[in-house]
Amino acid sequence: MKRNFKFLGICGLSALLTGCSDRPQRVNAVDMDIPQIFSMKSEFVPAGGEAIIYGSNLANTKVYFETQFINDSIQADVKKSTDNMIVVTVPDKAWTGKIKVKNPAGVATSNFYFRDNRNIILDFDLCHQTWGGIDPFDEKGNLIQGHIDNGTLIPYKGTIDKGCSGKFGLLYDEYLASQPYRYMSDLWFQYMHSYEEGGRGAVSIAGLPFCDYKVEDLVLKFECNIPKETPLKNIPVEFIAGYASADSTDKIGRKISPICRWEPSTNESNYFVAGNNEGKDLSNGFYTDGWETVTIPLTAFNYVYNEDKPKEDLKLDLKKAINFSVMVFGAPKENTDVMIGFDNVRIVPKAE
């Protein structure tokens, strides 16, 4: 929405009203548009961290985060602003909630929540996942830049030097071309609904707040960190919205459930990142600039396990989807090093 907002400079207005000048000064009217917020580079940024917000008409705006108190907000320190991007330091008192930007023409509110924790499926602080992947932290909570092999620390081939929201999970291994379609525990996160396995019961992965929403109105979101040294290429990441399976050999329900195959190096149509990968050279595979929020529409869950092409008429049934898996799985043409940090895997409304 555009509003032509014309206003006088402070000195000119003061001169006209108080006569502080010998004669009134002519001041040019200024056209200004109401700002808009489109997205954030990462929706989970710790206090004191740098948050990047994308939108329009953002130059010289003020930015406010909600606090834990109702109808209360705190202003952020702006480090840089252009028309389509603003960089701020997240205040200590910032809380889960919407972000506001303000200029003299008006106020805009984000259609997403900052640090949205309403329906997190995989959280590596609370350990909702049943098993899988690598824990990149030691027993004291310190981040380790490698894995121990016979008492020796073997450094990772890429670097993730910090989390975006406490601890995170890591998928890390080499996927061999000579062993296609191989299930590898270090390249697989799993959430099972049963209480015995740490789940929250036989409830939809959309959670009680959103299980009655239309699939078209919901998205899968997660924070992701893929180092440039180990770009994601040649092999997809599968997200499986698992239906309950009676087949003991298919506990996660892969053979009966809709699957999303995320291949950002070859298919940019089924996911979104703020900034649209501007400035990245993705010719050697997909990587992130630190932690980034990835958004995938639930309509992208339209693959079946034994076919390479999506089925356009396949639709995810959220009432049946009670388990969730993330795994690197496929048939790469060459050996592929995989290193992906994940956090805050959640299903939430795409806009509100």
Side-chain angles (χ1 to χ4, degrees):
M1 179 172 63
K2 180 176 180 179
R3 178 185 300 169
N4 290 324
F5 187 84
K6 299 179 183 295
F7 62 95
L8 295 173
I10 298 294
C11 291
L13 184 60
S14 176
L16 287 173
L17 296 179
T18 67
C20 66
S21 175
D22 291 340
R23 51 186 170 179
Q25 300 177 12
R26 182 180 298 277
V27 179
N28 293 327
V30 178
D31 285 344
M32 183 174 289
D33 294 337
I34 294 175
Q36 290 182 296
I37 299 176
F38 298 153
S39 55
M40 290 185 73
K41 176 187 172 185
S42 173
E43 294 177 12
F44 276 76
V45 181
E50 185 178 272
I52 301 177
I53 302 168
Y54 292 89
S56 63
N57 308 314
L58 295 179
N60 302 313
T61 56
K62 296 179 180 179
V63 180
Y64 300 87
F65 289 80
E66 292 187 14
T67 75
Q68 62 180 312
F69 302 106
I70 297 175
N71 298 324
D72 184 50
S73 63
I74 185 169
Q75 186 174 344
D77 181 22
V78 175
K79 297 298 185 182
K80 176 185 177 181
S81 67
T82 65
D83 187 60
N84 59 11
M85 181 185 72
I86 190 164
V87 182
V88 302
T89 300
V90 176
D92 290 343
K93 295 181 180 179
W95 206 255
T96 296
K98 296 192 174 185
I99 297 172
K100 291 183 179 180
V101 291
K102 180 180 180 180
N103 67 12
V107 178
T109 303
S110 64
N111 65 3
F112 58 87
Y113 279 54
F114 175 66
R115 298 183 190 158
D116 193 349
N117 58 9
R118 292 174 296 172
N119 185 46
I120 293 180
I121 304 167
L122 299 178
D123 181 300
F124 301 91
D125 295 295
L126 300 178
C127 298
H128 288 172
Q129 73 278 9
T130 304
W131 63 271
I134 292 174
D135 182 359
F137 297 87
D138 64 19
E139 64 278 0
K140 296 181 179 180
N142 299 312
L143 186 60
I144 305 171
Q145 295 298 332
H147 62 279
I148 305 297
D149 186 7
N150 292 325
T152 302
L153 179 66
I154 308 299
Y156 295 134
K157 295 181 180 179
T159 301
I160 301 177
D161 58 6
K162 59 183 177 181
C164 65
S165 174
K167 291 185 176 181
F168 61 90
L170 182 66
L171 298 183
Y172 182 84
D173 211 331
E174 182 180 26
Y175 205 110
L176 302 179
S178 60
Q179 298 178 330
Y181 302 108
R182 179 186 178 198
Y183 293 91
M184 301 175 65
S185 61
D186 287 346
L187 295 179
W188 186 358
F189 293 131
Q190 176 180 289
Y191 163 81
M192 298 298 289
H193 72 276
S194 64
Y195 295 115
E196 293 79 9
E197 296 186 85
R200 57 189 183 187
V203 297
S204 170
I205 56 174
L208 295 177
F210 310 128
C211 63
D212 291 325
Y213 278 51
K214 294 180 179 179
V215 170
E216 294 81 3
D217 295 332
L218 294 172
V219 293
L220 171 70
K221 283 189 176 185
F222 51 90
E223 276 61 58
C224 183
N225 194 328
I226 302 176
K228 191 173 183 178
E229 302 91 338
T230 53
L232 181 60
K233 59 183 179 180
N234 300 322
I235 190 167
V237 176
E238 286 194 354
F239 299 99
I240 304 170
Y243 297 170
S245 175
D247 183 353
S248 60
T249 65
D250 183 31
K251 190 176 180 181
I252 64 174
R254 183 175 181 269
K255 294 180 180 179
I256 60 173
S257 308
I259 297 170
C260 170
R261 289 182 183 158
W262 184 47
E263 297 183 80
S265 62
T266 60
N267 182 5
E268 296 185 1
S269 64
N270 72 342
Y271 79 99
F272 170 81
V273 291
N276 296 316
N277 294 317
E278 184 176 351
K280 298 177 187 175
D281 179 7
L282 302 182
S283 58
N284 191 41
F286 178 81
Y287 64 93
T288 64
D289 178 20
W291 287 98
E292 297 189 33
T293 297
V294 177
T295 302
I296 297 177
L298 292 195
T299 52
F301 283 75
N302 58 356
Y303 282 83
V304 293
Y305 80 101
N306 59 351
E307 295 184 21
D308 291 331
K309 299 294 183 180
K311 300 173 73 69
E312 299 302 328
D313 59 344
L314 181 61
K315 194 171 184 178
L316 175 60
D317 187 339
L318 286 172
K319 302 290 186 182
K320 294 181 179 179
I322 57 177
N323 304 312
F324 192 82
S325 296
V326 182
M327 63 180 178
V328 179
F329 188 72
K333 297 178 181 179
E334 59 187 36
N335 294 351
T336 301
D337 292 318
V338 178
M339 184 173 185
I340 311 173
F342 278 99
D343 206 358
N344 308 312
V345 180
R346 59 199 182 274
I347 291 176
V348 292
K350 67 178 181 181
E352 52 191 333

